[in-house]
Amino acid sequence: PQDQRFNPASKLKRALMDHFVSTDYAENLVVVKCMPGTANTIASLIDGMDWPELIGSVSGDDTTLLVCRTKEQAEMGVSRIYGMIH
């Protein structure tokens, strides 16, 4: 069996479960609110997922901005995030 410590999806799911606050989107931009000091980790893990709808991310202390190609892809990104925490 694969060691889950090195599984990117498992790491992202664990980080979201521990640090996620909320998410919303406007047009092609997704905002992910996190606990203070954790946004950079969330952004890095999401970047490592190679989601095709994601162009890139920018993070601050408690917020990550995900840039998608289209509004529909932003909706997909929000769905992916919620799917990992539910």
Side-chain angles (χ1 to χ4, degrees):
Q2 183 179 6
D3 188 338
Q4 291 301 303
R5 292 176 300 171
F6 303 108
N7 179 329
S10 178
K11 281 184 162 184
L12 176 56
K13 180 175 181 158
R14 189 168 52 248
L16 287 170
M17 295 293 289
D18 291 344
H19 307 300
F20 176 82
V21 174
S22 66
T23 188
D24 203 352
Y25 70 97
E27 295 300 324
N28 67 316
L29 303 175
V30 177
V31 174
V32 181
K33 298 294 278 180
C34 313
M35 298 300 292
T38 64
N40 202 19
T41 297
I42 298 292
S44 179
L45 290 169
I46 289 173
D47 285 343
M49 295 297 293
D50 291 324
W51 291 343
E53 67 271 17
L54 184 62
I55 295 172
S57 66
V58 179
S59 65
D61 183 61
D62 65 352
T63 305
T64 294
L65 175 66
L66 306 175
V67 181
C68 299
R69 298 184 188 284
T70 66
K71 180 179 179 179
E72 293 74 25
Q73 289 178 329
E75 291 174 19
M76 184 185 309
V78 169
S79 293
R80 282 185 193 259
I81 290 167
Y82 278 126
M84 295 190 107
I85 59 174
H86 290 112

